[in-house]
Amino acid sequence: MEPLARILVLGSLNMDLAVTVPRLPRLGETVVGERLGRYPGGKGANQAVAAARLGGRVAMVGRVGADDFGPELVQNLTANGVDASGVLPDSTAATGAALIFVGPDGQNMIAVAPGANGRLDTADVERAVDRLRPGDMLVMQLETPMTVIRPAAAAARHAGARVVLNAAPAQRLDPELLDQIDALVVNEREAELLVVTDRLAGALDHEAAAVALRAMGPRIAVVTLGPAGSIFCDETGVHSVKPYPVTAIDATGAGDAFVGALAVGLANGLPTEAAMQLANAAGAAATTSLGAQVALPHLKDVHRLFGLDLSFSVQ
């Protein structure tokens, strides 16, 4: 088969500080936690590692701060097979950090301090696009400035690359940006923010959301449904993709595992539904351990857990 197209992630790197709690706190409430863990994270870095562990040829462009967290995050990317030469230190900012509460059912609450991630600019876009070749894939999220996302998507398409956008954290998106996207991935709440209007309020189910999202411009619109699986809409219509049941411990990295796996599947030339099956399996597997990147599955894990029969050979 042809060599796997390269996956380039332009995005965020954070150090995650996660505490397990007996239940998620309510507004104004203090809950005594059980243990504190420190894990490499950030949606961009998570998705890069997820894709690399599943066999993708992955490079990353981003920024870390001039502190102890930065080199640790870069070293972790390299250890996981990601080309981290595009991740540069920023002497004027701290490395991004996320504070995470994890409940007993694996659900979580997250607050992020962007730090150096918020300082990405046009120079970073140029560094990213210079690495792209026709057939490559640019993967982005919304933990970096929108002033970077828009030109990067347009430049990637101009270079002949495909664009995957994980529209998280949730915010509204310009039609000009959505028209540049090959695959848009959102969860239920993010989908609701993008498509629910006063006219549609109370009348939108998951299928309608996927249809409405695709009508905004992306070639494939994906809505992830957590333990219920996922749904996507492409030129052939709307399709549901079955979940892979697991006992969830921590859902922190599940969405990023999904996006990284989807990128690997599409880059390998899998049909969309097969790529979605791989993504569902990777997302489910990622919930079976505590932490984001440390819980991201390797290809052997999705085989072992689910017996997933993939029709491609990762090179």
Side-chain angles (χ1 to χ4, degrees):
M1 62 173 287
E2 292 294 321
L4 177 65
R6 183 168 63 178
I7 297 166
L8 176 66
V9 178
L10 173 61
S12 57
L13 302 95
N14 293 330
M15 185 61 75
D16 291 349
L17 303 175
V19 58
T20 56
V21 290
R23 57 181 174 79
L24 297 178
R26 294 186 290 269
L27 182 65
E29 181 185 23
T30 298
V31 174
V32 177
E34 298 165 2
R35 53 176 170 158
L36 176 70
R38 190 176 93 174
Y39 310 100
K43 295 191 72 62
N46 291 348
Q47 291 170 18
V49 170
R53 288 188 175 183
L54 293 170
R57 289 198 301 128
V58 186
M60 183 164 186
V61 170
R63 294 196 195 186
V64 293
D67 50 36
D68 292 342
F69 286 164
E72 185 176 341
L73 295 180
V74 172
Q75 182 180 13
N76 182 72
L77 287 177
T78 302
N80 280 282
V82 177
D83 175 359
S85 60
V87 179
L88 301 182
D90 188 319
S91 61
T92 65
T95 299
L99 307 179
I100 306 171
F101 297 124
V102 182
D105 59 354
Q107 296 304 303
N108 56 56
M109 297 172 63
I110 304 175
V112 176
N117 297 311
R119 293 184 54 80
L120 265 66
D121 58 22
T122 55
D124 299 294
V125 173
E126 292 171 2
R127 291 193 296 116
V129 174
D130 282 347
R131 291 168 170 253
L132 290 171
R133 300 293 180 267
D136 286 350
M137 186 168 292
L138 176 65
V139 178
M140 297 185 292
Q141 325 76 36
L142 301 182
E143 286 186 339
T144 54
M146 190 59 70
T147 52
V148 169
I149 302 294
R150 294 189 192 97
R157 290 298 299 273
H158 183 73
R162 291 171 288 173
V163 181
V164 175
L165 178 64
N166 177 210
Q171 60 180 284
R172 293 198 176 275
L173 302 175
D174 295 336
E176 294 81 4
L177 171 61
L178 288 167
D179 195 50
Q180 302 293 330
I181 304 305
D182 291 279
L184 175 70
V185 182
V186 294
N187 64 22
E188 295 170 86
R189 292 177 183 174
E190 293 152 0
E192 185 175 290
L193 176 69
L194 287 172
V195 304
V196 170
T197 64
D198 291 340
R199 180 174 60 86
L200 293 173
L204 199 68
D205 60 19
H206 297 141
E207 290 193 2
V211 171
L213 287 168
R214 185 171 187 269
M216 294 178 180
R219 284 75 183 157
I220 306 168
V222 177
V223 181
T224 61
L225 306 175
S230 59
I231 192 168
F232 73 94
C233 181
D234 63 6
E235 72 279 1
T236 66
V238 182
H239 309 271
S240 295
V241 186
K242 68 177 182 179
Y244 290 87
V246 294
T247 300
I249 294 175
D250 179 6
T252 303
D256 297 328
F258 183 101
V259 174
L262 181 65
V264 169
L266 294 176
N268 266 290
L270 286 184
T272 303
E273 185 158 1
M276 290 284 294
Q277 289 171 351
L278 173 61
N280 273 6
T287 70
T288 61
S289 299
L290 190 65
Q293 284 181 37
V294 294
L296 296 172
H298 294 80
L299 203 56
K300 63 182 180 182
D301 297 321
V302 297
H303 282 297
R304 173 178 55 83
L305 288 170
F306 311 118
L308 191 63
D309 182 18
L310 302 174
S311 59
F312 67 84
S313 176
V314 176
Q315 299 185 2

